[in-house]
Amino acid sequence: MTQTQTEIVPEQDVPGRTRWGVFLAILAVPTLVVAALLALLIAWLFTDDSVAADVKETSCAEALAFGGAKLPEGAKDARCALEAGPAPSYTARFRMPRAEIDAWVAAGFPEGPELRTTQCGDARVDACLSADRVAGRRVSVQIEITHDSRRWSEVRYKAFTP
């Protein structure tokens, strides 16, 4: 048998394909999933999904009248709102002269109750009042008073149907 010689051909130096493309494609999928989850988390944190989203500004005369009271003459910085829900709930916040508080409460609630300085629920509140069935209606009123200075007090008023 005769042997035939085979020619040895050197390999050509052609840039080969690396596996980096496959590696990056596999790595891109979890990276995109994590980025999408972060975007959803950020969107959830910055959206307001509170229950009180349907709060509308209203006149303070309407808000206080719902609970049988009137805005005092010397009131400043009054802000009032109507909170949406199954039953109306009005809130008011204003500042008034400290010396006129007792007269204002007595005029708004002639049958009582009177302001109390204990058991107000918050240590920062100086006086409070809770009244049920105000003005002959099924309306409850809560008032919290915080003295800002010797002359002025902040009043937080809430009237609602329980």
Side-chain angles (χ1 to χ4, degrees), residues 13-93:
D13 193 15
V14 178
R17 300 186 70 190
T18 61
R19 294 190 173 102
W20 282 107
V22 174
F23 177 73
L24 290 176
I26 292 171
L27 191 61
V29 172
T31 303
L32 290 174
V33 169
V34 169
L37 289 175
L38 281 174
L40 287 173
L41 177 68
I42 290 170
W44 177 70
L45 288 174
F46 287 107
T47 55
D48 182 23
D49 56 351
S50 65
V51 176
D54 293 333
V55 176
K56 298 176 192 166
E57 285 189 36
T58 187
S59 73
C60 288
E62 178 184 344
L64 291 164
F66 186 76
K70 293 180 182 176
L71 191 65
E73 290 292 324
K76 292 183 178 183
D77 304 327
R79 294 180 313 270
C80 300
L82 169 63
E83 296 177 14
S89 176
Y90 288 91
T91 59
R93 178 176 258 175

Side-chain angles (χ1 to χ4, degrees), residues 65-68 132-140:
F66 186 76
D132 292 328
R133 302 226 177 245
V134 176
R137 300 186 324 229
R138 197 177 143 233
V139 175
S140 295

Side-chain angles (χ1 to χ4, degrees), residues 67-152:
K70 293 180 182 176
L71 191 65
E73 290 292 324
K76 292 183 178 183
D77 304 327
R79 294 180 313 270
C80 300
L82 169 63
E83 296 177 14
S89 176
Y90 288 91
T91 59
R93 178 176 258 175
F94 55 90
R95 293 181 49 205
M96 68 178 291
R98 185 174 176 173
E100 298 174 13
I101 290 176
D102 290 330
W104 175 71
V105 170
F109 308 99
E111 293 109 31
E114 295 181 5
L115 283 174
R116 64 179 186 271
T117 57
T118 59
Q119 298 176 342
C120 289
D122 189 351
R124 294 172 285 166
V125 174
D126 296 308
C128 60
L129 175 139
S130 295
D132 292 328
R133 302 226 177 245
V134 176
R137 300 186 324 229
R138 197 177 143 233
V139 175
S140 295
V141 173
Q142 295 175 344
I143 299 173
E144 293 181 340
I145 298 170
T146 306
H147 301 307
D148 288 344
S149 66
R150 290 184 182 174
R151 293 196 54 208
W152 293 96

